Amino acid sequence: MPAAPTTHSADVLVIGWGLAGLVAASEAVAAGKRVVIVDQEPRTNLGGQAWWSFGGLFFIDSPEQRRMGITDSLDLARQDWFGTASFDREEDAWPRRWAEAYLQFAHQEKRAWLREKGVGFFPVVGWAERGGYTALGPGNSVPRFHITWGTGPGIVAPFQSEVEAGESQGRVTILGRHRVISLTTVDGAVTGAAGDILAPSGAARGVASSREVVGAFEITAAATIVSSGGIGGNHDLVRKNWPARLGTPPATMVTGVPAYVDGSMLAISEEAGARLINGDRMWHYVEGIQNWDPVWPDHGIRILPGPSSIWLDATGERLPVPLFPGFDTLGTLAHLRATGHDHSWFVLSQKIIEKEFTLSGSEQNPDLTGKDVRLLAKSRLGKGAAGPVQAFMDKGADFVVRDTLDELIAGMQALPGGDALDPERVRLEVEARDREMDNDFTKDAQIAMLRSARDYRGDKLIRTASPHRILDPKSGPLIAVKLHVLTRKSLGGIETDLSARALAPGGEPIPGLYAAGEASGFGGGGVHGYRALEGTFVGGCLFSGRAAGRAAAAGV
């Protein structure tokens, strides 16, 4: 006979130890509750996806913005958020309320709350999702992307410390290799969870671990918080939920999150009565490159580009206005899906890559992650590409570096999918763009925008190369980068009220069940609507995790 399940009990059960789960657990512990945290991975993965992140945070009218000469306001941020989200469904009732609440949080309490926990921020504010449409269209009107000093590990650290302090005091139990397969319900209330105990694993952080089952467990709890993440590591689920408005799903993609981001808890929550909404809303990047040193299967890295690179589709045709690097992620994705190809290209110069290329992720930014001021000055202000970028230039499968345009095009054609490229079209696009550089005025909207970007001193200092001809030998060599669709975030999920209580299809709260982080669409089942403003994913984990932890503790 199989062994009897191991049993545990707690006031609050947290499923998933990513940032939202750690924040929720820390709040419950601070309220004096006993907490059990479970996750299917080994403990090396404590902190989840947030540990791997760049640590970008969305603030409104912050001291960092004001020091950089940026005039921001709650009204302007609300205009940008709602213009980007484009809420248009009955299901958006709670997401709208979450958006209003999050904007207030980002404007008022969020920064001070994090500073009290010892979190610091890089002084130069980044400008992500620049939009390029009208004032009421999508995008950030001003720079709002604040990089955490220490990147993802820096934002995880204080909450991990609080949870581990609770563990040392006997108030928190952390159970790795515990995979939930069902939520326990009694008379319509969730009273805990049951699942499989997986074989111990020595896998390093992010590396796929075995799914060998060696036992079973049952946990009873007065409140259960689902904070298990989204679906980005499960390409089958990504394709199943892919919306027609974004074209056909790619046949090939690279993966921006570890394999454990499998979406399994969404279906389990639905079986327990929770309502899932906005599953067709998702956030994937189109500047993905294959990691030359992968950690998880199909591991991709996103380029965080400045505005100067020429963006070509697979045939060599330049992307239309305003689909420039860094302007409209999902608009660019939808356009590229209509081309019939899964890849596109950046064409740029050495001068551009030295100033404008940053790679997303804590491990790709050792200066910021390690809080190394000397390395920071060298990598961001010195000559040559930053070390991680240079490593991709030297070893990455998607990089072509050549001295002449003919050689560059030949190198592009030699890569898989390069046979779709029209060499004459590439030449036409590059040479036409370069002719526009002869005057301080131009009809080329991208050139006008990059010149405008340099009016912001943060861009001029570290993010935007001085305008120049890409084919100027003094700016070379020439560089082409093959770009892939990179899976990342679910924008829909478990519908919740402002107390993070999971809601049933009829709109009533399910007793004992809460949701936070990406599993809840970062709040309400879709706080971002159709599109995001960046810096709002980590922040959404903080806000929804805090709400869930406080409400669960109060309800016990």
Side-chain angles (χ1 to χ4, degrees), residues 473-498:
K474 291 182 293 186
S475 300
L478 299 172
I479 301 164
V481 187
K482 182 182 176 183
L483 306 173
H484 308 261
V485 176
L486 175 83
T487 64
R488 186 76 98 203
K489 296 296 181 185
S490 308
L491 298 188
I494 299 167
E495 186 179 29
T496 62
D497 64 12
L498 286 177

Side-chain angles (χ1 to χ4, degrees), residues 316 405-406 409 422-432 471:
L405 186 57
D406 283 341
I409 292 171
D422 179 349
E424 293 309 312
R425 186 71 198 190
V426 176
R427 180 177 297 280
L428 178 68
E429 296 283 13
V430 175
E431 291 179 345
L471 295 179

Side-chain angles (χ1 to χ4, degrees), residues 253-335:
M253 299 180 281
V254 293
T255 309
V257 294
Y260 58 71
V261 187
D262 57 15
S264 60
M265 277 305 302
L266 295 175
I268 292 168
S269 299
E270 187 174 37
E271 290 171 5
R275 185 188 186 200
L276 304 183
I277 61 174
N278 299 319
D280 64 322
R281 292 179 180 169
M282 52 184 66
W283 189 259
H284 307 303
Y285 294 107
V286 279
E287 311 100 333
I289 51 176
Q290 301 171 81
N291 194 344
W292 64 270
D293 187 20
V295 177
W296 53 78
D298 302 313
H299 189 176
I301 297 293
R302 185 202 174 196
I303 297 169
L304 302 173
S308 298
S309 298
I310 299 175
W311 203 334
L312 306 176
D313 67 19
T315 70
E317 186 168 345
R318 195 169 169 194
L319 271 58
V321 176
L323 305 183
F324 312 132
F327 279 70
D328 179 5
T329 293
L330 288 199
T332 307
L333 175 59
H335 174 81

Side-chain angles (χ1 to χ4, degrees), residues 70-294:
I70 299 162
T71 301
D72 199 6
S73 69
L74 181 59
D75 286 342
L76 183 61
R78 182 184 293 111
Q79 175 177 295
D80 288 347
W81 190 290
F82 281 84
T84 300
S86 299
F87 295 122
D88 62 358
R89 298 173 176 175
E90 290 184 10
E91 294 92 335
D92 287 331
W94 282 111
R96 282 177 177 271
R97 295 181 183 127
W98 272 89
E100 283 287 357
Y102 183 76
L103 287 166
Q104 294 288 344
F105 178 61
H107 182 230
Q108 297 173 348
E109 188 179 359
K110 178 180 175 184
R111 184 182 180 279
W113 178 61
L114 291 171
R115 290 292 295 140
E116 288 174 0
K117 294 181 180 295
V119 179
F121 309 102
F122 185 57
V124 179
V125 184
W127 196 352
E129 288 295 294
R130 303 181 188 217
Y133 301 91
T134 64
L136 293 176
N140 284 296
S141 297
V142 297
R144 295 192 178 102
F145 191 83
H146 297 68
I147 301 169
T148 301
W149 189 230
T151 67
I155 199 73
V156 167
F159 302 100
Q160 179 176 339
S161 177
E162 290 172 8
V163 168
E164 290 179 338
E167 183 183 31
S168 68
Q169 296 161 7
R171 298 160 60 197
V172 176
T173 301
I174 302 176
L175 301 173
R177 304 300 282 160
H178 280 58
R179 177 179 62 187
V180 172
I181 60 174
S182 66
L183 295 175
T184 308
T185 58
V186 177
D187 297 329
V190 171
T191 59
D196 297 324
I197 300 174
L198 305 179
S201 171
R205 182 184 290 273
V207 175
S209 60
S210 81
R211 291 295 179 259
E212 178 189 355
V213 176
V214 296
F217 70 89
E218 295 175 355
I219 301 172
T220 58
T224 298
I225 301 172
V226 176
S227 54
S228 53
I231 67 173
N234 186 333
H235 287 196
D236 290 339
L237 268 184
V238 169
R239 293 190 177 95
K240 179 181 178 181
N241 288 282
W242 192 276
R245 67 180 176 275
L246 293 180
T248 58
T252 59
M253 299 180 281
V254 293
T255 309
V257 294
Y260 58 71
V261 187
D262 57 15
S264 60
M265 277 305 302
L266 295 175
I268 292 168
S269 299
E270 187 174 37
E271 290 171 5
R275 185 188 186 200
L276 304 183
I277 61 174
N278 299 319
D280 64 322
R281 292 179 180 169
M282 52 184 66
W283 189 259
H284 307 303
Y285 294 107
V286 279
E287 311 100 333
I289 51 176
Q290 301 171 81
N291 194 344
W292 64 270
D293 187 20

Side-chain angles (χ1 to χ4, degrees), residues 349 431 433-435 437-438 467-472 475:
S349 66
E431 291 179 345
R433 180 266 186 203
D434 271 10
R435 290 189 192 98
M437 303 306 299
D438 289 341
H468 63 279
R469 286 176 174 256
I470 286 178
L471 295 179
D472 183 348
S475 300

